Amino acid sequence: MSLDQKFNEAAEKVKTFTKRPSDQELLVLYALFKQATVGDNTTDKPGMLDLKGKAKWQAWLDKKGTPQDTAKEEYIKLVEELTAKYL
C-alpha cells in the first residue's frame, strides 16, 4: 500500500472515532493533515478574536518546513496511537 493510500485510510479512520480526542490531539492532527496536503502555512493569521482559528493556524505554522511525506507518516502514526484510545 502506498503512503498516500495509508494516509487517506488514516484520515477516514479519524472520522470513525467513538470518543472525541483532546483539543491538543486535534490540533496536532489538524496541523499534520494540513502540512501533508497543502504544505507550509502561507495564509494570513486569523483575527484577534478568532481563538480557535489562531490555535489551528499556529499549530500548522509550527510544522513549517516539514516535508509533506514526513507529515503524512507522522499523521498515520498518530492516528494509529489515537485509535487505541478513541475507537
Side-chain angles (χ1 to χ4, degrees):
M1 189 182 308
S2 76
L3 180 60
D4 286 337
Q5 288 173 316
K6 289 179 184 176
F7 176 77
N8 291 331
E9 197 174 270
E12 288 301 312
K13 189 180 280 187
V14 168
K15 297 175 186 175
T16 66
F17 287 175
T18 55
K19 296 181 200 147
R20 185 179 183 277
S22 73
D23 289 343
Q24 189 57 41
E25 290 166 335
L26 288 172
L27 278 176
V28 175
L29 280 171
Y30 171 82
L32 287 171
F33 183 85
K34 292 295 277 188
Q35 188 68 25
T37 57
V38 179
D40 288 344
N41 182 355
T42 58
T43 62
D44 292 334
K45 188 173 185 176
M48 189 196 297
L49 299 178
D50 184 2
L51 299 178
K52 182 178 177 182
K54 279 190 350 187
K56 290 168 71 174
W57 183 88
Q58 187 61 53
W60 181 17
L61 188 68
D62 291 344
K63 298 295 179 190
K64 186 174 186 171
T66 303
Q68 287 183 282
D69 284 349
T70 303
K72 287 178 183 177
E73 290 167 358
E74 290 178 19
Y75 182 87
I76 292 164
K77 185 178 177 211
L78 180 59
V79 169
E80 287 171 359
E81 291 170 10
L82 295 178
T83 297
K85 287 170 72 174
Y86 300 113
L87 193 60

